[in-house]
């Protein structure tokens, strides 16, 4: 058998996103071999035809003795058990978003990786996107002035998932982007969501992130049920505004010298605000592929022992917001992030077990809309104590 020079990395889950990891890792410096792991023989065979030199395994257990690190690109509810098995075997792990479906499990992964002395990284790909970094730069360097709010939309017709709702499927991207751009964690989360075409899972959701600074907010709209594909983040500041459009072939970032200011004086014949319309500029954004940057960073991190940019703590920060969003949906009110640690009942809701299945319908029946309302779980207006 020929000697392998470089790291041996397995991709667990060779579906839509896992196949992209396989392609990228084959071109990544420092990689000696990329193995394919999938329980579906037809899918494994199809991938092997494109990468005939790649070893194939039908289970993680079979692959572990032959690899140094793994990329877990399986459905979200399988992330934790697979990652824990890999960590227990002393393997470095990159877990796709979301890292876990509850804060309890996210912390288990962090503690396990620390105990085993291995690298734990989360696949928050947009934090390696040059356009997102440019928008972060505009915000952090106050090119836009004081930021009023961020608005993020991730919409399309599909792809419906079998194990999680649209919040856990799509919102991790936007939560990660917002956290990265603002550099601050919200104190509370308020969610509105609906099930339309799917019986079990919400397919449309609106999430509001509430911050200690009452002048700042962020809004996230995710949908599997929209006629238009949208991947857009808008940042509105006191001096300028910026739009990041991930679907734009060119000019993915546009900075607009637009704004408003109050008119002074007591002259009621004048409009209350004056409007400014200036130039629109498009700063340079590198064309590097975010997934390639992310996977190369993973390899560099575990080979050098340095902390990855999107480490376990970064993943936990996103999972906290997702869990709060889910609980807000169930409890019909804003959820403070600190409640996730203090209230045992909230963990029961987050676990999605029998307690949740019994209480969720009861809560819906008690809502002002009643059981025959319009299908929305609407949060009541409530103040949030920070």
């Amino acid at each position: 058998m020929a000697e392998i020079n470089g790291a041996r990395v397995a991709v667990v889950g060779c579906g839509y996103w896992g196949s992209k990891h396989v392609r990228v890792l084959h071109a990544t410096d420092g990689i000696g071999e990329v193995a394919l792991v999938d329980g579906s023989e037809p899918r494994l065979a199809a991938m092997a035809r494109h990468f005939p030199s790649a070893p194939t395994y039908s289970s993680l257990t079979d692959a572990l003795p032959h690899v140094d690190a793994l990329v877990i690109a399986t459905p979200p509810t399988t992330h934790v058990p697979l990652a824990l098995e890999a960590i227990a075997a002393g393997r470095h792990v990159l877990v796709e978003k979301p890292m876990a479906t509850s804060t309890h499990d996210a912390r288990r992964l962090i503690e396990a990786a620390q105990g085993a002395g291995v690298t734990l990284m989360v696949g928050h790909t947009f934090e390696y996107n040059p356009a997102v970094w440019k928008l972060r730069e505009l915000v952090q360097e106050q090119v836009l002035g004081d930021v009023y709010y961020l608005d993020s939309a991730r919409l399309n017709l599909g792809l419906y998932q079998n194990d999680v709702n649209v919040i856990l499927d799509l919102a991790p991207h936007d939560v990660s982007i917002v956290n990265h751009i603002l550099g601050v964690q919200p104190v509370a989360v308020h969610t509105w969501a609906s099930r339309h075409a799917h019986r079990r899972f919400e397919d449309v959701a609106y999430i509001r992130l509430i911050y200690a600074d009452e002048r700042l907010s962020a809004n996230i709209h995710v949908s599997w049920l929209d006629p238009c594909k949208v991947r857009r983040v808008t940042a509105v500041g006191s001096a300028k505004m910026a739009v990041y459009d991930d679907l734009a072939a060119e000019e993915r970032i546009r900075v607009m010298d637009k704004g408003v200011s109050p008119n002074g004086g007591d002259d009621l014949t004048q409009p209350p605000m004056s409007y400014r319309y200036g130039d629109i500029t498009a700063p340079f954004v590198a064309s590097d592929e975010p997934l390639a940057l992310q996977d190369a960073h993973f390899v560099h991190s575990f080979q050098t022992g340095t902390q990855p940019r999107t480490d376990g703590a970064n993943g936990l920060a996103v999972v906290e917001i997702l869990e709060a969003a889910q609980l807000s949906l169930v409890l019909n009110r804003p959820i403070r992030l600190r409640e996730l640690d203090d209230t045992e009942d909230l963990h029961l809701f987050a676990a999605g077990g029998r307690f949740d299945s019994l209480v969720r319908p009861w809560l819906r029946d008690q809502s002002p809309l009643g059981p025959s309302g319009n299908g929305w779980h609407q949060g009541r207006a409530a103040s949030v104590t920070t």
Side-chain angles (χ1 to χ4, degrees):
M1 182 180 294
E3 182 179 353
I4 297 172
N5 295 315
R8 301 168 301 166
V9 180
V11 176
V12 185
C14 297
Y16 172 77
W17 197 244
S19 65
K20 294 180 183 294
H21 278 287
V22 173
R23 171 184 60 79
V24 163
L25 287 169
H26 268 91
T28 300
D29 290 339
I31 297 290
E33 183 177 79
V34 180
L36 314 177
V37 183
D38 201 296
S40 168
E41 289 298 333
R43 188 157 53 225
L44 203 57
M47 283 297 297
R49 285 195 292 271
H50 292 285
F51 301 96
S53 64
T56 60
Y57 304 94
S58 59
S59 73
L60 174 60
T61 303
D62 292 340
L64 283 175
H66 309 286
V67 299
D68 306 303
L70 301 105
V71 173
I72 297 177
T74 55
T77 54
T78 67
H79 287 177
V80 171
L82 290 173
L84 287 175
E85 182 181 352
I87 290 170
R91 303 300 186 259
H92 308 286
V93 179
L94 187 160
V95 185
E96 264 304 334
K97 59 81 186 173
M99 180 171 76
T101 56
S102 73
T103 56
H104 172 71
D105 280 344
R107 291 190 177 97
R108 288 175 63 201
L109 287 182
I110 294 172
E111 292 170 2
Q114 290 174 343
V118 300
T119 296
L120 172 63
M121 181 168 153
V122 186
H124 291 157
T125 312
F126 282 94
E127 295 193 39
Y128 299 87
N129 188 312
V132 174
W133 270 92
K134 175 58 68 174
L135 187 55
R136 172 186 164 88
E137 177 185 309
L138 294 171
V139 169
Q140 296 293 325
E141 296 182 2
Q142 292 200 307
V143 174
L144 308 182
D146 295 328
V147 176
Y148 292 151
Y149 71 90
L150 295 184
D151 189 274
S152 183
R154 189 168 303 274
L155 321 173
N156 201 7
L157 188 58
L159 297 167
Y160 277 78
Q161 301 299 313
N162 294 320
D163 63 336
V164 293
N165 64 12
V166 72
I167 295 173
L168 285 174
D169 179 42
L170 297 184
H173 287 311
D174 303 277
V175 171
S176 171
I177 290 170
V178 171
N179 282 356
H180 184 60
I181 290 172
L182 295 180
V184 62
Q185 187 85 337
V187 297
V189 180
H190 201 179
T191 306
W192 294 261
S194 180
R195 303 173 191 172
H196 293 290
H198 200 293
R199 289 189 305 109
R200 295 178 54 213
F201 296 126
E202 289 80 11
D203 47 17
V204 180
Y206 295 84
I207 304 168
R208 182 176 179 232
L209 306 185
I210 303 164
Y211 295 86
D213 183 349
E214 295 180 355
R215 297 168 299 177
L216 176 65
S217 66
N219 306 291
I220 296 172
H221 179 198
V222 288
S223 176
W224 289 328
L225 195 60
D226 195 280
C228 302
K229 185 173 183 178
V230 178
R231 300 286 185 269
R232 183 182 62 239
V233 179
T234 302
V236 175
S238 59
K240 295 182 180 181
M241 306 177 183
V243 175
Y244 156 49
D245 185 350
D246 194 56
L247 300 182
E250 299 179 356
E251 298 186 353
R252 283 185 293 160
I253 296 282
R254 304 181 79 198
V255 181
M256 305 168 187
D257 187 10
K258 294 182 178 183
V260 298
S261 57
N263 283 329
D266 299 323
D267 187 355
L268 298 181
T269 64
Q270 298 298 315
M273 308 293 288
S274 60
Y275 301 88
R276 183 184 73 259
Y277 299 93
D279 293 336
I280 299 176
T281 59
F284 170 76
V285 174
S287 58
D288 301 316
E289 182 182 6
L291 187 63
L293 295 177
Q294 173 193 277
D295 286 5
H297 182 66
F298 174 54
V299 174
H300 178 267
S301 295
F302 73 72
Q303 287 183 332
T304 61
T306 54
Q307 182 174 331
R309 184 183 304 158
T310 51
D311 60 2
N314 179 287
L316 173 61
V318 170
V319 173
E320 285 178 333
I321 295 173
L322 297 174
E323 183 172 273
Q326 298 277 71
L327 293 169
S328 174
L329 181 60
V330 174
L331 295 176
N332 206 25
R333 65 170 175 85
I335 297 293
R336 295 182 294 271
L337 294 193
R338 69 187 186 193
E339 292 183 79
L340 301 178
D341 293 325
D342 298 338
T343 307
E344 182 179 355
D345 285 350
L346 292 182
H347 285 297
L348 290 172
F349 275 99
R354 182 171 178 269
F355 185 72
D356 178 56
S357 64
L358 290 174
V359 175
R360 184 192 289 267
W362 180 86
L363 284 172
R364 190 180 306 125
D365 291 346
Q366 306 310 308
S367 72
L369 295 172
S372 59
N374 66 358
W376 281 88
H377 311 311
Q378 295 190 342
R380 296 184 295 273
S383 61
V384 177
T385 303
T386 61

